[in-house]
């Protein structure tokens, strides 16, 4: 059983919509946007609008540089943190070994004192 809201289009409806769409796209309606995309900007190159664009582009470039530096610093910081974590684990292991050895030595010295 077909779904309730499913509608089948016939060939006339499909070709008619394609033809109307094609007609709309090919009309002789020349926009400024279309001209811009087809031919590029036609205004003066050093106008105030281009200065603003250039200024914004410079700001974007500066932000990109800063973000690249920040990413580099974060990566370096992560490496330093890994090294620090490894050193702290090693120090903890050495401290535990030292504590155990100190307990053994204390017991040895206590027995030695008892024997004397």
């Amino acid at each position: 059983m077909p779904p309730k809201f499913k509608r089948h289009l016939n060939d006339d409806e499909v070709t008619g919509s394609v033809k109307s769409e094609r007609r709309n796209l090919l009309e002789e309606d020349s926009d400024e946007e279309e001209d811009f995309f087809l031919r590029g900007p036609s205004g003066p190159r050093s106008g105030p609008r281009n200065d603003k664009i250039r200024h914004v582009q410079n700001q974007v470039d500066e932000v990109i540089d800063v973000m690249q530096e920040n990413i580099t610093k974060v990566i370096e910081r992560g490496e330093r943190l890994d090294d620090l974590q490894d050193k702290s684990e090693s120090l903890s292991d050495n401290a535990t070994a030292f504590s155990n050895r100190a307990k053994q030595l204390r017991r040895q010295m206590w027995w030695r004192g008892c024997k004397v």
Side-chain angles (χ1 to χ4, degrees):
M1 182 179 241
K4 184 176 180 181
F5 297 106
K6 189 173 185 181
R7 181 175 170 225
H8 296 284
L9 298 175
N10 59 25
D11 290 339
D12 294 336
E13 290 175 328
V14 172
T15 56
S17 65
V18 170
K19 287 179 184 176
S20 66
E21 213 173 310
R22 184 178 296 150
R23 186 176 54 248
N24 288 338
L25 289 173
L26 295 176
E27 283 182 349
E28 290 295 322
D29 185 23
S30 177
D31 278 328
E32 288 182 22
E33 283 184 18
E34 289 176 5
D35 291 342
F36 175 79
F37 288 114
L38 293 175
R39 294 189 253 317
S42 60
R45 291 275 181 194
S46 63
R49 183 178 178 114
N50 287 332
D51 290 340
K52 289 180 183 178
I53 292 173
R54 195 173 308 119
H55 178 69
V56 170
Q57 184 63 42
N58 289 339
Q59 287 179 335
V60 169
D61 291 340
E62 288 176 16
V63 169
I64 289 172
D65 291 340
V66 168
M67 290 307 296
Q68 287 174 343
E69 288 175 20
N70 289 345
I71 290 171
T72 303
K73 289 178 182 177
V74 166
I75 291 171
E76 290 172 358
R77 181 176 177 258
E79 291 171 357
R80 287 194 310 261
L81 287 175
D82 289 341
D83 291 343
L84 185 61
Q85 184 177 3
D86 292 342
K87 288 179 182 178
S88 67
E89 288 174 0
S90 174
L91 185 61
S92 176
D93 293 342
N94 288 336
T96 303
F98 177 80
S99 176
N100 291 337
R101 181 68 181 133
K103 287 179 187 175
Q104 279 181 340
L105 187 60
R106 185 180 314 124
R107 287 185 190 130
Q108 271 183 344
M109 298 312 285
W110 183 80
W111 276 111
R112 200 176 274 174
C114 287
K115 289 179 184 178
V116 170

